[in-house]
Amino acid sequence: MLMFAIVFGLSMDYEVFLISRVHEAWTATGDAHRSVAIGIGGTARVITTAAAIMIAVFTSFVLDTDPTVEMLAVGMAAAVLIDASVIRMVLVPAVMSLLDRRAWWLPRWLDRVLPHLDIEGTRHLARAASSSGPSAPAEDLETSLAGRH
């Protein structure tokens, strides 16, 4: 139970990071498949690097003499490896691509109640791209969302 609680808390960082990047791209482009590709492209290195660091840290606890600590270390390292590689990099993007626009559906009553935050200024980028007309290439928007300048 302890291991589940810790790994769940750690993996939510990956999930928020990945989904927020995909949502930024979806808000800007309206294309679910492309936004998943942009989101994965922009976050895959960071997520796998953070997972590798956590796996290394958890694996270092195997050197402890306490069998409980060793067991938790192996379990948490394996859980982070499975979570970061299989769930966050394969399963979540696949499900989001399959769901297409339905991945972002909200009931109307809930959409009215929830605040519409735009911390990163994504809506501003989308408005700027659409207001400049057909002369603004979509590739520039995609490049700015992916973090490559």
Side-chain angles (χ1 to χ4, degrees):
M1 196 62 148
L2 174 70
M3 189 170 65
F4 175 77
I6 292 171
V7 171
F8 180 78
L10 293 172
S11 70
M12 283 302 104
D13 290 340
Y14 302 146
E15 187 70 18
V16 168
F17 188 56
L18 172 64
I19 297 301
S20 65
R21 179 67 92 171
V22 172
H23 188 260
E24 287 174 5
W26 184 78
T27 303
T29 64
D31 182 4
H33 298 288
R34 190 166 139 203
S35 64
V36 169
I38 292 169
I40 287 292
T43 61
R45 288 184 196 155
V46 176
I47 290 174
T48 53
T49 303
I53 291 169
M54 287 179 20
I55 290 168
V57 169
F58 291 145
T59 306
S60 71
F61 286 110
V62 171
L63 301 174
D64 195 301
T65 57
D66 186 6
T68 305
V69 173
E70 291 176 349
M71 186 173 52
L72 282 171
V74 170
M76 288 176 62
V80 168
L81 176 66
I82 291 167
D83 179 66
S85 61
V86 176
I87 308 236
R88 303 297 173 228
M89 293 291 111
V90 176
L91 189 62
V92 169
V95 169
M96 292 192 71
S97 288
L98 289 173
L99 288 175
D100 204 33
R101 292 186 165 280
R102 293 172 298 219
W104 305 110
W105 177 82
L106 273 177
R108 271 193 202 129
W109 66 268
L110 185 58
D111 193 30
R112 285 190 300 262
V113 174
L114 291 175
H116 294 277
L117 302 176
D118 188 23
I119 297 169
E120 305 256 341
T122 309
R123 289 189 186 143
H124 174 69
L125 285 174
R127 274 191 304 249
S130 66
S131 67
S132 60
S135 63
E139 192 175 298
D140 291 343
L141 181 61
E142 184 177 322
T143 303
S144 68
L145 286 173
R148 293 178 234 121
H149 299 287

